[in-house]
Amino acid sequence: MSQSTVPANSAQAAALAASRSRISASLAERPDFRVIARWIEPSSQVLDLGCSDGSLLRLLTDELDVSGYGVEIDDAGVLASAQRGINVIQQNMEDGLKLFEDQSFDTVILSQTLQTIHRTADILRETVRVGREAIVSFPNFGYWPHRLSVLQGRMPVSKSLPFQWHNTPNVRVLTIKDFEALAPDVGVQILDRAVLHNGRLVSVGANWRGSLAVYRVKRS
């Protein structure tokens, strides 16, 4: 390695660390976004499924120089994403991702969207088909206060599940163990996992102590 290469690499590493630090500070209210950002490579191609208002993709574009698209069905989300300068496609994911070729993106993001989809297994298969890797996050229904609510005869309402039973957009409820049991059945290999509560990593008793799970996966 030449002497001139070391400073350049050091400068790139320092710039990347600074970008990730700014992302972490900017996404204090979305701890899953902070984990996602750590798993995104600079200048990569990203597809954000269920991108909402495009805030994550906008930040990744600004800080990590990624390029790509967001997919969103809600009119307000599409408009907000477009106003942020995001390339957004209005599409119902339930219809599949036939628009995209195999491994056409470095990373496909499915952030807190899995529980809102009816065709869960099909979408997971499509997600790892389209992306070389994928990042999936979801609220963990196995979190202990959620279990307690059910034992008390009520559907849980919490920071990670903020809706009442009658107005929730969630059509599926799943736990960490549920996802890990499903993954191999649908051709998904788990590469990494982060389980969180209140923005902190949970390592012991994750399925009952963690309220939010984030996975890095790929096609098996």
PDB file of all heavy atoms in Angstrom, residues 123-157:
ATOM      1  N   ILE A 123     -44.066 -11.329  -0.398  1.00  0.00           N
ATOM      2  CA  ILE A 123     -43.305 -10.079  -0.431  1.00  0.00           C
ATOM      3  C   ILE A 123     -41.882 -10.293   0.074  1.00  0.00           C
ATOM      4  O   ILE A 123     -40.932  -9.698  -0.446  1.00  0.00           O
ATOM      5  CB  ILE A 123     -44.025  -8.978   0.378  1.00  0.00           C
ATOM      6  CG1 ILE A 123     -45.372  -8.646  -0.265  1.00  0.00           C
ATOM      7  CG2 ILE A 123     -43.167  -7.720   0.467  1.00  0.00           C
ATOM      8  CD1 ILE A 123     -45.299  -8.224  -1.713  1.00  0.00           C
ATOM      9  N   LEU A 124     -41.714 -11.134   1.075  1.00  0.00           N
ATOM     10  CA  LEU A 124     -40.356 -11.430   1.541  1.00  0.00           C
ATOM     11  C   LEU A 124     -39.540 -12.095   0.438  1.00  0.00           C
ATOM     12  O   LEU A 124     -38.369 -11.770   0.230  1.00  0.00           O
ATOM     13  CB  LEU A 124     -40.408 -12.321   2.774  1.00  0.00           C
ATOM     14  CG  LEU A 124     -40.664 -11.625   4.106  1.00  0.00           C
ATOM     15  CD1 LEU A 124     -40.856 -12.645   5.221  1.00  0.00           C
ATOM     16  CD2 LEU A 124     -39.522 -10.668   4.453  1.00  0.00           C
ATOM     17  N   ARG A 125     -40.154 -13.042  -0.272  1.00  0.00           N
ATOM     18  CA  ARG A 125     -39.446 -13.681  -1.390  1.00  0.00           C
ATOM     19  C   ARG A 125     -39.064 -12.657  -2.448  1.00  0.00           C
ATOM     20  O   ARG A 125     -37.947 -12.681  -2.986  1.00  0.00           O
ATOM     21  CB  ARG A 125     -40.334 -14.762  -2.019  1.00  0.00           C
ATOM     22  CG  ARG A 125     -40.564 -15.990  -1.156  1.00  0.00           C
ATOM     23  CD  ARG A 125     -41.267 -17.073  -1.953  1.00  0.00           C
ATOM     24  NE  ARG A 125     -41.661 -18.206  -1.125  1.00  0.00           N
ATOM     25  CZ  ARG A 125     -42.877 -18.369  -0.606  1.00  0.00           C
ATOM     26  NH1 ARG A 125     -43.819 -17.468  -0.848  1.00  0.00           N
ATOM     27  NH2 ARG A 125     -43.147 -19.418   0.146  1.00  0.00           N
ATOM     28  N   GLU A 126     -39.984 -11.761  -2.762  1.00  0.00           N
ATOM     29  CA  GLU A 126     -39.721 -10.740  -3.765  1.00  0.00           C
ATOM     30  C   GLU A 126     -38.643  -9.763  -3.306  1.00  0.00           C
ATOM     31  O   GLU A 126     -37.811  -9.310  -4.096  1.00  0.00           O
ATOM     32  CB  GLU A 126     -41.020  -9.981  -4.077  1.00  0.00           C
ATOM     33  CG  GLU A 126     -41.976 -10.712  -4.987  1.00  0.00           C
ATOM     34  CD  GLU A 126     -41.467 -10.729  -6.414  1.00  0.00           C
ATOM     35  OE1 GLU A 126     -41.779  -9.799  -7.172  1.00  0.00           O
ATOM     36  OE2 GLU A 126     -40.718 -11.672  -6.769  1.00  0.00           O
ATOM     37  N   THR A 127     -38.651  -9.444  -2.031  1.00  0.00           N
ATOM     38  CA  THR A 127     -37.681  -8.490  -1.485  1.00  0.00           C
ATOM     39  C   THR A 127     -36.261  -9.005  -1.651  1.00  0.00           C
ATOM     40  O   THR A 127     -35.358  -8.267  -2.095  1.00  0.00           O
ATOM     41  CB  THR A 127     -37.983  -8.231   0.003  1.00  0.00           C
ATOM     42  OG1 THR A 127     -39.276  -7.634   0.125  1.00  0.00           O
ATOM     43  CG2 THR A 127     -36.955  -7.296   0.618  1.00  0.00           C
ATOM     44  N   VAL A 128     -36.020 -10.281  -1.318  1.00  0.00           N
ATOM     45  CA  VAL A 128     -34.655 -10.813  -1.442  1.00  0.00           C
ATOM     46  C   VAL A 128     -34.332 -11.196  -2.883  1.00  0.00           C
ATOM     47  O   VAL A 128     -33.164 -11.412  -3.213  1.00  0.00           O
ATOM     48  CB  VAL A 128     -34.434 -12.010  -0.490  1.00  0.00           C
ATOM     49  CG1 VAL A 128     -34.506 -11.559   0.957  1.00  0.00           C
ATOM     50  CG2 VAL A 128     -35.421 -13.139  -0.751  1.00  0.00           C
ATOM     51  N   ARG A 129     -35.337 -11.282  -3.746  1.00  0.00           N
ATOM     52  CA  ARG A 129     -35.068 -11.474  -5.167  1.00  0.00           C
ATOM     53  C   ARG A 129     -34.543 -10.193  -5.788  1.00  0.00           C
ATOM     54  O   ARG A 129     -33.571 -10.205  -6.558  1.00  0.00           O
ATOM     55  CB  ARG A 129     -36.345 -11.898  -5.911  1.00  0.00           C
ATOM     56  CG  ARG A 129     -36.163 -12.021  -7.428  1.00  0.00           C
ATOM     57  CD  ARG A 129     -37.468 -12.256  -8.153  1.00  0.00           C
ATOM     58  NE  ARG A 129     -38.376 -11.125  -8.097  1.00  0.00           N
ATOM     59  CZ  ARG A 129     -38.273 -10.039  -8.869  1.00  0.00           C
ATOM     60  NH1 ARG A 129     -37.278  -9.925  -9.736  1.00  0.00           N
ATOM     61  NH2 ARG A 129     -39.164  -9.064  -8.770  1.00  0.00           N
ATOM     62  N   VAL A 130     -35.161  -9.081  -5.438  1.00  0.00           N
ATOM     63  CA  VAL A 130     -34.835  -7.788  -6.046  1.00  0.00           C
ATOM     64  C   VAL A 130     -33.533  -7.219  -5.506  1.00  0.00           C
ATOM     65  O   VAL A 130     -32.784  -6.560  -6.233  1.00  0.00           O
ATOM     66  CB  VAL A 130     -36.001  -6.797  -5.832  1.00  0.00           C
ATOM     67  CG1 VAL A 130     -35.621  -5.380  -6.222  1.00  0.00           C
ATOM     68  CG2 VAL A 130     -37.226  -7.251  -6.617  1.00  0.00           C
ATOM     69  N   GLY A 131     -33.237  -7.473  -4.234  1.00  0.00           N
ATOM     70  CA  GLY A 131     -32.039  -6.908  -3.617  1.00  0.00           C
ATOM     71  C   GLY A 131     -30.965  -7.948  -3.350  1.00  0.00           C
ATOM     72  O   GLY A 131     -31.268  -9.094  -3.025  1.00  0.00           O
ATOM     73  N   ARG A 132     -29.710  -7.546  -3.493  1.00  0.00           N
ATOM     74  CA  ARG A 132     -28.610  -8.439  -3.117  1.00  0.00           C
ATOM     75  C   ARG A 132     -28.675  -8.724  -1.618  1.00  0.00           C
ATOM     76  O   ARG A 132     -28.338  -9.813  -1.165  1.00  0.00           O
ATOM     77  CB  ARG A 132     -27.272  -7.806  -3.497  1.00  0.00           C
ATOM     78  CG  ARG A 132     -27.075  -7.690  -5.003  1.00  0.00           C
ATOM     79  CD  ARG A 132     -25.759  -7.023  -5.361  1.00  0.00           C
ATOM     80  NE  ARG A 132     -25.589  -6.971  -6.815  1.00  0.00           N
ATOM     81  CZ  ARG A 132     -26.063  -6.001  -7.578  1.00  0.00           C
ATOM     82  NH1 ARG A 132     -26.728  -4.986  -7.032  1.00  0.00           N
ATOM     83  NH2 ARG A 132     -25.882  -6.035  -8.887  1.00  0.00           N
ATOM     84  N   GLU A 133     -29.085  -7.686  -0.864  1.00  0.00           N
ATOM     85  CA  GLU A 133     -29.392  -7.848   0.552  1.00  0.00           C
ATOM     86  C   GLU A 133     -30.675  -7.072   0.827  1.00  0.00           C
ATOM     87  O   GLU A 133     -31.104  -6.248   0.012  1.00  0.00           O
ATOM     88  CB  GLU A 133     -28.270  -7.327   1.446  1.00  0.00           C
ATOM     89  CG  GLU A 133     -27.010  -8.171   1.418  1.00  0.00           C
ATOM     90  CD  GLU A 133     -25.997  -7.750   2.470  1.00  0.00           C
ATOM     91  OE1 GLU A 133     -26.272  -6.775   3.235  1.00  0.00           O
ATOM     92  OE2 GLU A 133     -24.928  -8.384   2.550  1.00  0.00           O
ATOM     93  N   ALA A 134     -31.270  -7.356   1.969  1.00  0.00           N
ATOM     94  CA  ALA A 134     -32.466  -6.624   2.371  1.00  0.00           C
ATOM     95  C   ALA A 134     -32.405  -6.349   3.864  1.00  0.00           C
ATOM     96  O   ALA A 134     -31.728  -7.064   4.620  1.00  0.00           O
ATOM     97  CB  ALA A 134     -33.729  -7.406   2.030  1.00  0.00           C
ATOM     98  N   ILE A 135     -33.088  -5.306   4.276  1.00  0.00           N
ATOM     99  CA  ILE A 135     -33.199  -4.962   5.689  1.00  0.00           C
ATOM    100  C   ILE A 135     -34.679  -4.910   6.031  1.00  0.00           C
ATOM    101  O   ILE A 135     -35.444  -4.196   5.379  1.00  0.00           O
ATOM    102  CB  ILE A 135     -32.520  -3.622   6.002  1.00  0.00           C
ATOM    103  CG1 ILE A 135     -31.029  -3.687   5.647  1.00  0.00           C
ATOM    104  CG2 ILE A 135     -32.701  -3.266   7.476  1.00  0.00           C
ATOM    105  CD1 ILE A 135     -30.298  -2.360   5.780  1.00  0.00           C
ATOM    106  N   VAL A 136     -35.071  -5.691   7.028  1.00  0.00           N
ATOM    107  CA  VAL A 136     -36.474  -5.813   7.418  1.00  0.00           C
ATOM    108  C   VAL A 136     -36.610  -5.454   8.892  1.00  0.00           C
ATOM    109  O   VAL A 136     -35.869  -5.985   9.729  1.00  0.00           O
ATOM    110  CB  VAL A 136     -36.986  -7.258   7.191  1.00  0.00           C
ATOM    111  CG1 VAL A 136     -38.449  -7.374   7.586  1.00  0.00           C
ATOM    112  CG2 VAL A 136     -36.779  -7.690   5.746  1.00  0.00           C
ATOM    113  N   SER A 137     -37.542  -4.565   9.214  1.00  0.00           N
ATOM    114  CA  SER A 137     -37.809  -4.252  10.617  1.00  0.00           C
ATOM    115  C   SER A 137     -39.303  -4.358  10.888  1.00  0.00           C
ATOM    116  O   SER A 137     -40.131  -4.144   9.992  1.00  0.00           O
ATOM    117  CB  SER A 137     -37.293  -2.854  10.989  1.00  0.00           C
ATOM    118  OG  SER A 137     -38.070  -1.837  10.389  1.00  0.00           O
ATOM    119  N   PHE A 138     -39.652  -4.679  12.134  1.00  0.00           N
ATOM    120  CA  PHE A 138     -41.059  -4.807  12.512  1.00  0.00           C
ATOM    121  C   PHE A 138     -41.197  -4.718  14.028  1.00  0.00           C
ATOM    122  O   PHE A 138     -40.260  -5.058  14.774  1.00  0.00           O
ATOM    123  CB  PHE A 138     -41.641  -6.146  12.020  1.00  0.00           C
ATOM    124  CG  PHE A 138     -40.880  -7.364  12.478  1.00  0.00           C
ATOM    125  CD1 PHE A 138     -41.182  -7.978  13.690  1.00  0.00           C
ATOM    126  CD2 PHE A 138     -39.871  -7.895  11.703  1.00  0.00           C
ATOM    127  CE1 PHE A 138     -40.481  -9.090  14.122  1.00  0.00           C
ATOM    128  CE2 PHE A 138     -39.160  -9.021  12.126  1.00  0.00           C
ATOM    129  CZ  PHE A 138     -39.465  -9.613  13.338  1.00  0.00           C
ATOM    130  N   PRO A 139     -42.347  -4.266  14.528  1.00  0.00           N
ATOM    131  CA  PRO A 139     -42.603  -4.287  15.971  1.00  0.00           C
ATOM    132  C   PRO A 139     -42.794  -5.723  16.436  1.00  0.00           C
ATOM    133  O   PRO A 139     -43.446  -6.525  15.765  1.00  0.00           O
ATOM    134  CB  PRO A 139     -43.887  -3.462  16.127  1.00  0.00           C
ATOM    135  CG  PRO A 139     -44.540  -3.499  14.788  1.00  0.00           C
ATOM    136  CD  PRO A 139     -43.449  -3.629  13.775  1.00  0.00           C
ATOM    137  N   ASN A 140     -42.204  -6.047  17.570  1.00  0.00           N
ATOM    138  CA  ASN A 140     -42.243  -7.398  18.104  1.00  0.00           C
ATOM    139  C   ASN A 140     -43.471  -7.591  18.998  1.00  0.00           C
ATOM    140  O   ASN A 140     -43.553  -7.032  20.090  1.00  0.00           O
ATOM    141  CB  ASN A 140     -40.960  -7.679  18.903  1.00  0.00           C
ATOM    142  CG  ASN A 140     -40.978  -9.032  19.587  1.00  0.00           C
ATOM    143  OD1 ASN A 140     -41.570  -9.982  19.075  1.00  0.00           O
ATOM    144  ND2 ASN A 140     -40.337  -9.115  20.738  1.00  0.00           N
ATOM    145  N   PHE A 141     -44.419  -8.388  18.519  1.00  0.00           N
ATOM    146  CA  PHE A 141     -45.637  -8.633  19.283  1.00  0.00           C
ATOM    147  C   PHE A 141     -45.352  -9.461  20.537  1.00  0.00           C
ATOM    148  O   PHE A 141     -46.177  -9.509  21.451  1.00  0.00           O
ATOM    149  CB  PHE A 141     -46.659  -9.351  18.397  1.00  0.00           C
ATOM    150  CG  PHE A 141     -48.067  -9.264  18.895  1.00  0.00           C
ATOM    151  CD1 PHE A 141     -48.818  -8.110  18.730  1.00  0.00           C
ATOM    152  CD2 PHE A 141     -48.658 -10.348  19.535  1.00  0.00           C
ATOM    153  CE1 PHE A 141     -50.118  -8.019  19.196  1.00  0.00           C
ATOM    154  CE2 PHE A 141     -49.960 -10.275  20.003  1.00  0.00           C
ATOM    155  CZ  PHE A 141     -50.693  -9.110  19.833  1.00  0.00           C
ATOM    156  N   GLY A 142     -44.181 -10.116  20.592  1.00  0.00           N
ATOM    157  CA  GLY A 142     -43.825 -10.912  21.755  1.00  0.00           C
ATOM    158  C   GLY A 142     -43.271 -10.106  22.918  1.00  0.00           C
ATOM    159  O   GLY A 142     -42.979 -10.683  23.984  1.00  0.00           O
ATOM    160  N   TYR A 143     -43.097  -8.792  22.752  1.00  0.00           N
ATOM    161  CA  TYR A 143     -42.615  -7.923  23.833  1.00  0.00           C
ATOM    162  C   TYR A 143     -43.519  -8.096  25.054  1.00  0.00           C
ATOM    163  O   TYR A 143     -44.749  -8.135  24.929  1.00  0.00           O
ATOM    164  CB  TYR A 143     -42.609  -6.487  23.318  1.00  0.00           C
ATOM    165  CG  TYR A 143     -42.223  -5.418  24.303  1.00  0.00           C
ATOM    166  CD1 TYR A 143     -41.085  -5.540  25.090  1.00  0.00           C
ATOM    167  CD2 TYR A 143     -43.001  -4.262  24.421  1.00  0.00           C
ATOM    168  CE1 TYR A 143     -40.729  -4.543  25.983  1.00  0.00           C
ATOM    169  CE2 TYR A 143     -42.653  -3.257  25.303  1.00  0.00           C
ATOM    170  CZ  TYR A 143     -41.525  -3.407  26.083  1.00  0.00           C
ATOM    171  OH  TYR A 143     -41.183  -2.413  26.981  1.00  0.00           O
ATOM    172  N   TRP A 144     -42.939  -8.182  26.255  1.00  0.00           N
ATOM    173  CA  TRP A 144     -43.697  -8.645  27.425  1.00  0.00           C
ATOM    174  C   TRP A 144     -44.923  -7.796  27.766  1.00  0.00           C
ATOM    175  O   TRP A 144     -45.967  -8.369  28.148  1.00  0.00           O
ATOM    176  CB  TRP A 144     -42.784  -8.810  28.641  1.00  0.00           C
ATOM    177  CG  TRP A 144     -42.309  -7.535  29.287  1.00  0.00           C
ATOM    178  CD1 TRP A 144     -41.137  -6.894  29.057  1.00  0.00           C
ATOM    179  CD2 TRP A 144     -43.005  -6.774  30.283  1.00  0.00           C
ATOM    180  NE1 TRP A 144     -41.049  -5.759  29.821  1.00  0.00           N
ATOM    181  CE2 TRP A 144     -42.182  -5.667  30.598  1.00  0.00           C
ATOM    182  CE3 TRP A 144     -44.219  -6.907  30.934  1.00  0.00           C
ATOM    183  CZ2 TRP A 144     -42.552  -4.703  31.536  1.00  0.00           C
ATOM    184  CZ3 TRP A 144     -44.595  -5.948  31.870  1.00  0.00           C
ATOM    185  CH2 TRP A 144     -43.759  -4.861  32.160  1.00  0.00           C
ATOM    186  N   PRO A 145     -44.920  -6.448  27.643  1.00  0.00           N
ATOM    187  CA  PRO A 145     -46.169  -5.712  27.906  1.00  0.00           C
ATOM    188  C   PRO A 145     -47.276  -6.053  26.907  1.00  0.00           C
ATOM    189  O   PRO A 145     -48.461  -5.995  27.254  1.00  0.00           O
ATOM    190  CB  PRO A 145     -45.753  -4.243  27.788  1.00  0.00           C
ATOM    191  CG  PRO A 145     -44.295  -4.240  28.076  1.00  0.00           C
ATOM    192  CD  PRO A 145     -43.804  -5.505  27.431  1.00  0.00           C
ATOM    193  N   HIS A 146     -46.892  -6.409  25.672  1.00  0.00           N
ATOM    194  CA  HIS A 146     -47.900  -6.840  24.701  1.00  0.00           C
ATOM    195  C   HIS A 146     -48.533  -8.161  25.142  1.00  0.00           C
ATOM    196  O   HIS A 146     -49.751  -8.334  25.078  1.00  0.00           O
ATOM    197  CB  HIS A 146     -47.262  -7.012  23.316  1.00  0.00           C
ATOM    198  CG  HIS A 146     -46.654  -5.763  22.765  1.00  0.00           C
ATOM    199  ND1 HIS A 146     -45.745  -5.774  21.733  1.00  0.00           N
ATOM    200  CD2 HIS A 146     -46.822  -4.452  23.103  1.00  0.00           C
ATOM    201  CE1 HIS A 146     -45.376  -4.531  21.457  1.00  0.00           C
ATOM    202  NE2 HIS A 146     -45.998  -3.717  22.279  1.00  0.00           N
ATOM    203  N   ARG A 147     -47.712  -9.081  25.627  1.00  0.00           N
ATOM    204  CA  ARG A 147     -48.236 -10.346  26.130  1.00  0.00           C
ATOM    205  C   ARG A 147     -49.165 -10.108  27.316  1.00  0.00           C
ATOM    206  O   ARG A 147     -50.225 -10.742  27.423  1.00  0.00           O
ATOM    207  CB  ARG A 147     -47.077 -11.262  26.549  1.00  0.00           C
ATOM    208  CG  ARG A 147     -46.067 -11.575  25.454  1.00  0.00           C
ATOM    209  CD  ARG A 147     -45.055 -12.573  25.965  1.00  0.00           C
ATOM    210  NE  ARG A 147     -43.908 -12.699  25.060  1.00  0.00           N
ATOM    211  CZ  ARG A 147     -43.085 -13.725  25.046  1.00  0.00           C
ATOM    212  NH1 ARG A 147     -43.283 -14.745  25.871  1.00  0.00           N
ATOM    213  NH2 ARG A 147     -42.062 -13.770  24.213  1.00  0.00           N
ATOM    214  N   LEU A 148     -48.751  -9.204  28.191  1.00  0.00           N
ATOM    215  CA  LEU A 148     -49.559  -8.913  29.377  1.00  0.00           C
ATOM    216  C   LEU A 148     -50.908  -8.339  28.994  1.00  0.00           C
ATOM    217  O   LEU A 148     -51.943  -8.700  29.575  1.00  0.00           O
ATOM    218  CB  LEU A 148     -48.802  -7.950  30.292  1.00  0.00           C
ATOM    219  CG  LEU A 148     -49.503  -7.560  31.600  1.00  0.00           C
ATOM    220  CD1 LEU A 148     -49.770  -8.800  32.459  1.00  0.00           C
ATOM    221  CD2 LEU A 148     -48.646  -6.556  32.372  1.00  0.00           C
ATOM    222  N   SER A 149     -50.920  -7.440  28.005  1.00  0.00           N
ATOM    223  CA  SER A 149     -52.188  -6.859  27.552  1.00  0.00           C
ATOM    224  C   SER A 149     -53.145  -7.933  27.053  1.00  0.00           C
ATOM    225  O   SER A 149     -54.339  -7.925  27.362  1.00  0.00           O
ATOM    226  CB  SER A 149     -51.941  -5.834  26.441  1.00  0.00           C
ATOM    227  OG  SER A 149     -51.279  -4.691  26.918  1.00  0.00           O
ATOM    228  N   VAL A 150     -52.600  -8.879  26.283  1.00  0.00           N
ATOM    229  CA  VAL A 150     -53.442  -9.959  25.765  1.00  0.00           C
ATOM    230  C   VAL A 150     -53.973 -10.825  26.907  1.00  0.00           C
ATOM    231  O   VAL A 150     -55.144 -11.209  26.933  1.00  0.00           O
ATOM    232  CB  VAL A 150     -52.658 -10.800  24.743  1.00  0.00           C
ATOM    233  CG1 VAL A 150     -53.468 -12.028  24.320  1.00  0.00           C
ATOM    234  CG2 VAL A 150     -52.319  -9.959  23.510  1.00  0.00           C
ATOM    235  N   LEU A 151     -53.115 -11.113  27.901  1.00  0.00           N
ATOM    236  CA  LEU A 151     -53.550 -11.903  29.055  1.00  0.00           C
ATOM    237  C   LEU A 151     -54.656 -11.187  29.832  1.00  0.00           C
ATOM    238  O   LEU A 151     -55.528 -11.827  30.433  1.00  0.00           O
ATOM    239  CB  LEU A 151     -52.367 -12.196  29.978  1.00  0.00           C
ATOM    240  CG  LEU A 151     -51.364 -13.237  29.481  1.00  0.00           C
ATOM    241  CD1 LEU A 151     -50.172 -13.324  30.426  1.00  0.00           C
ATOM    242  CD2 LEU A 151     -52.022 -14.604  29.356  1.00  0.00           C
ATOM    243  N   GLN A 152     -54.625  -9.858  29.790  1.00  0.00           N
ATOM    244  CA  GLN A 152     -55.639  -9.061  30.471  1.00  0.00           C
ATOM    245  C   GLN A 152     -56.889  -8.859  29.616  1.00  0.00           C
ATOM    246  O   GLN A 152     -57.827  -8.183  30.036  1.00  0.00           O
ATOM    247  CB  GLN A 152     -55.057  -7.704  30.886  1.00  0.00           C
ATOM    248  CG  GLN A 152     -53.992  -7.817  31.970  1.00  0.00           C
ATOM    249  CD  GLN A 152     -53.294  -6.499  32.255  1.00  0.00           C
ATOM    250  OE1 GLN A 152     -53.273  -5.587  31.414  1.00  0.00           O
ATOM    251  NE2 GLN A 152     -52.709  -6.382  33.443  1.00  0.00           N
ATOM    252  N   GLY A 153     -56.862  -9.443  28.406  1.00  0.00           N
ATOM    253  CA  GLY A 153     -58.044  -9.418  27.554  1.00  0.00           C
ATOM    254  C   GLY A 153     -58.129  -8.251  26.597  1.00  0.00           C
ATOM    255  O   GLY A 153     -59.176  -8.034  25.980  1.00  0.00           O
ATOM    256  N   ARG A 154     -57.034  -7.488  26.435  1.00  0.00           N
ATOM    257  CA  ARG A 154     -57.039  -6.345  25.535  1.00  0.00           C
ATOM    258  C   ARG A 154     -55.907  -6.459  24.523  1.00  0.00           C
ATOM    259  O   ARG A 154     -54.844  -7.001  24.825  1.00  0.00           O
ATOM    260  CB  ARG A 154     -56.858  -5.030  26.324  1.00  0.00           C
ATOM    261  CG  ARG A 154     -57.956  -4.735  27.316  1.00  0.00           C
ATOM    262  CD  ARG A 154     -59.282  -4.433  26.620  1.00  0.00           C
ATOM    263  NE  ARG A 154     -59.192  -3.308  25.710  1.00  0.00           N
ATOM    264  CZ  ARG A 154     -59.368  -2.033  26.084  1.00  0.00           C
ATOM    265  NH1 ARG A 154     -59.630  -1.724  27.354  1.00  0.00           N
ATOM    266  NH2 ARG A 154     -59.307  -1.052  25.197  1.00  0.00           N
ATOM    267  N   MET A 155     -56.146  -5.937  23.318  1.00  0.00           N
ATOM    268  CA  MET A 155     -55.070  -5.855  22.337  1.00  0.00           C
ATOM    269  C   MET A 155     -54.071  -4.788  22.774  1.00  0.00           C
ATOM    270  O   MET A 155     -54.471  -3.738  23.298  1.00  0.00           O
ATOM    271  CB  MET A 155     -55.628  -5.531  20.956  1.00  0.00           C
ATOM    272  CG  MET A 155     -56.444  -6.668  20.352  1.00  0.00           C
ATOM    273  SD  MET A 155     -55.467  -8.186  20.147  1.00  0.00           S
ATOM    274  CE  MET A 155     -54.333  -7.698  18.831  1.00  0.00           C
ATOM    275  N   PRO A 156     -52.779  -5.035  22.601  1.00  0.00           N
ATOM    276  CA  PRO A 156     -51.769  -4.107  23.112  1.00  0.00           C
ATOM    277  C   PRO A 156     -51.726  -2.782  22.353  1.00  0.00           C
ATOM    278  O   PRO A 156     -51.925  -2.736  21.140  1.00  0.00           O
ATOM    279  CB  PRO A 156     -50.459  -4.870  22.936  1.00  0.00           C
ATOM    280  CG  PRO A 156     -50.729  -5.861  21.859  1.00  0.00           C
ATOM    281  CD  PRO A 156     -52.170  -6.237  21.989  1.00  0.00           C
ATOM    282  N   VAL A 157     -51.449  -1.724  23.096  1.00  0.00           N
ATOM    283  CA  VAL A 157     -51.167  -0.408  22.535  1.00  0.00           C
ATOM    284  C   VAL A 157     -49.887   0.079  23.208  1.00  0.00           C
ATOM    285  O   VAL A 157     -49.789   0.102  24.433  1.00  0.00           O
ATOM    286  CB  VAL A 157     -52.320   0.583  22.794  1.00  0.00           C
ATOM    287  CG1 VAL A 157     -51.960   1.969  22.257  1.00  0.00           C
ATOM    288  CG2 VAL A 157     -53.616   0.086  22.176  1.00  0.00           C
TER     289      VAL A 157
END
